[in-house]
Amino acid sequence: MTTPDELEQRFTLLTAAARYNQLRLRDALAPPADDPEDDDDEPDPDARPLSREEALELLALGEVLVRKAAYGRQLTVRTARAAGASWTQIGAALATSKQSAWETHTRWLADQQPDGSRP
């Protein structure tokens, strides 16, 4: 079975997004399962329903995208702070309060420590 942990190792953010988009588009274009296709028409290969494994891969890829985007966001918070951005500015860029931005980033930093301590 495909898991987010497995896919996270195989895909970069861009390749995961491309594969996610490919599967999501095919899923959106696929005819409903209970709608028999017209036998006279050649079915579009890009509009076939997802297999069970592909549907599970799509779900796992969604999780991979969330993880990779969150990690990248926290690295960018660190970069913004190093470049002199205030917590108020970072909070505004994240559409949140400065307190929430600071707490989220501090919690993320603690999670990066092997012992879970605050840096």
Side-chain angles (χ1 to χ4, degrees):
M1 178 159 80
T2 304
T3 66
D5 291 336
E6 174 194 327
L7 294 179
E8 196 169 11
Q9 300 302 314
R10 282 188 16 215
F11 289 101
T12 66
L13 177 60
L14 290 177
T15 58
R19 177 67 175 155
Y20 179 90
N21 191 50
Q22 176 188 34
L23 291 172
R24 185 68 196 103
L25 182 61
R26 208 176 96 212
D27 188 42
L29 295 176
D34 59 355
D35 184 22
E37 293 197 33
D38 187 356
D39 293 336
D40 296 337
D41 291 337
E42 188 68 29
D44 182 354
D46 292 331
R48 68 186 189 282
L50 298 180
S51 68
R52 177 182 10 195
E53 193 57 40
E54 288 170 325
L56 293 170
E57 179 185 2
L58 181 59
L59 288 170
L61 281 166
E63 177 60 23
V64 168
L65 291 172
V66 168
R67 290 179 186 184
K68 287 185 179 289
Y71 183 74
R73 183 174 103 166
Q74 292 306 323
L75 292 178
T76 306
V77 168
R78 185 170 60 187
T79 300
R81 287 293 295 161
S86 70
W87 284 110
T88 300
Q89 292 169 319
I90 291 169
L94 296 173
T96 189
S97 69
K98 67 180 182 179
Q99 181 70 26
S100 178
W102 179 84
E103 287 174 358
T104 300
H105 188 65
T106 303
R107 213 173 13 256
W108 178 80
L109 288 174
D111 290 344
Q112 304 308 303
Q113 301 294 323
D115 62 357
S117 64
R118 301 267 178 198

